[in-house]
Amino acid sequence: MTGPDLTALRPRLPSPLQEAADERFTRRGVRLLLKRDDLIHPELIGNKWRKLAPNLTAAAGRPIVTFGGAYSNHLRATAAAGRLLGVPTVGVVRGQELADQPLNPSLTRCVADGMRLHFVDRSTYRRKTDPKTQAAILGAAGAEGASVVPEGGSNALAVRGCRALGEELRGQADAVAIACGTGGTLAGLAAGLGPGQRALGIPVLRGGFLGDDIRGLQAEAFGGPRGDWRLDERFHFGGYARTSPELDDFAEDFEERHGVRVERLYVAKLLYGLVALVEEGAFETGAAVAAVITGAPFAG
């Protein structure tokens, strides 16, 4: 069985790299660059393309089953990919209680794109990577034989796919910063960068577990650690899907300054963290810092 032809979707690769004149950076002698992965494809935006494309190819036309919360960007991207490529998709959603409630706009979009939703209780969801539990979930969802893509899309295939992001930025910046959910994009990005370049991850979840996850993903994808990377866990604003009036004000101001729509759950936290870091003197005078714009605001 052959896989879908992803080139028919005409992704914009490599994604554009744009300089953003921002006095908060320039007064410190630092250049800010925006790596516009949000412009790769209008529906498979940013790192979702980079992570999903190799998984879709490997699935070779089989149905895709994946996992996420009620507002998961990954679920929406997978559903859109299924519609565009004619591949059946099943989304396993955290929270059995949601099955009896009206669908939120994010899940409504998934269904409109043809994704079949299967809700599971939160205790079962936490055990979804256990082989027996996963087999039971797939059986209950009628998804036996489907190709399984993990929550957030982060597996060895995705990490190797994200290595191209780093390769596109070789020689372009001293540091490359990215917001992190499951860590797969950072794991691949760091592997693709050249000598002397470093990657910085801004986690959007609390917990302090992400470093071990990234090391595990790199071991799975490459056989061991790759690249120079670190995490700064101060800018999660309380955890996933949490924001604040301060963050909203910051994002609106950045949009006005640079004409770039700022997604709030990941990208705003990344940019906020970079402004804080440059004010702390974290980057040397003359350094170029690239911020990876991994997504765009959900239009509802």
Side-chain angles (χ1 to χ4, degrees):
M1 183 182 293
T2 59
D5 180 13
L6 273 66
T7 61
L9 301 183
R10 298 182 179 179
R12 186 178 182 182
L13 291 170
S15 61
L17 183 64
Q18 303 170 345
E19 183 144 8
D22 191 307
E23 52 87 17
R24 294 170 293 189
F25 289 77
T26 55
R27 70 173 177 240
R28 297 279 185 169
V30 176
R31 294 170 58 217
L32 174 64
L33 308 173
L34 303 180
K35 179 62 169 168
R36 298 295 304 275
D37 266 20
D38 58 315
L39 301 179
I40 290 177
H41 189 277
E43 294 186 82
L44 305 182
I45 291 171
N47 60 340
K48 301 309 176 190
W49 173 278
R50 297 187 188 274
K51 294 163 82 172
L52 274 174
N55 277 286
L56 289 164
T57 299
R62 287 183 294 151
I64 298 284
V65 61
T66 193
F67 303 81
Y71 290 92
S72 168
N73 294 327
H74 171 66
L75 285 184
R76 286 204 311 275
T78 304
R83 172 176 57 79
L84 292 166
L85 297 169
V87 175
T89 58
V90 178
V92 178
V93 183
R94 179 180 63 244
Q96 179 63 46
E97 72 278 4
L98 300 175
D100 299 321
Q101 299 177 13
L103 296 179
N104 66 34
S106 186
L107 293 178
T108 297
R109 174 72 65 83
C110 290
V111 171
D113 280 339
M115 176 174 275
R116 186 161 54 83
L117 302 180
H118 178 72
F119 297 88
V120 299
D121 66 83
R122 293 170 187 269
S123 175
T124 300
Y125 190 89
R126 283 193 293 271
R127 304 192 308 274
K128 62 187 176 299
T129 58
D130 171 73
K132 289 184 178 179
T133 302
Q134 187 174 105
I137 292 173
L138 297 185
E144 302 97 329
S147 182
V148 177
V149 178
E151 183 177 32
S154 290
N155 57 10
L157 287 169
V159 171
R160 289 193 287 267
C162 289
R163 180 169 50 189
L165 171 60
E167 292 170 347
E168 291 173 22
L169 286 162
R170 284 190 177 186
Q172 302 294 320
D174 300 286
V176 181
I178 192 165
C180 301
T182 51
T185 308
L186 177 62
L189 163 66
L193 291 174
Q197 292 181 294
R198 63 188 189 276
L200 169 66
I202 304 293
V204 301
L205 292 83
R206 293 185 299 172
F209 56 84
L210 200 56
D212 288 341
D213 288 355
I214 292 168
R215 284 183 281 272
L217 285 166
Q218 287 197 331
E220 185 182 355
F222 308 120
R226 293 289 188 277
D228 178 3
W229 60 270
R230 70 177 182 89
L231 300 173
D232 191 321
E233 308 204 28
R234 294 178 293 163
F235 305 108
H236 53 68
F237 282 82
Y240 182 68
R242 300 284 183 88
T243 61
S244 73
E246 180 186 9
L247 186 65
D248 285 335
D249 289 344
F250 170 87
E252 290 175 7
D253 176 70
F254 195 93
E255 289 173 339
E256 291 176 5
R257 288 172 185 255
H258 301 295
V260 176
R261 295 191 306 147
V262 176
E263 187 272 334
R264 297 301 198 264
L265 305 187
Y266 287 85
V267 177
K269 296 177 182 182
L270 164 70
L271 297 170
Y272 184 99
L274 282 181
V275 169
L277 284 164
V278 78
E279 291 177 352
E280 293 171 3
F283 305 107
E284 296 179 359
T285 300
V289 179
V292 183
I293 310 301
T294 49
F298 178 49

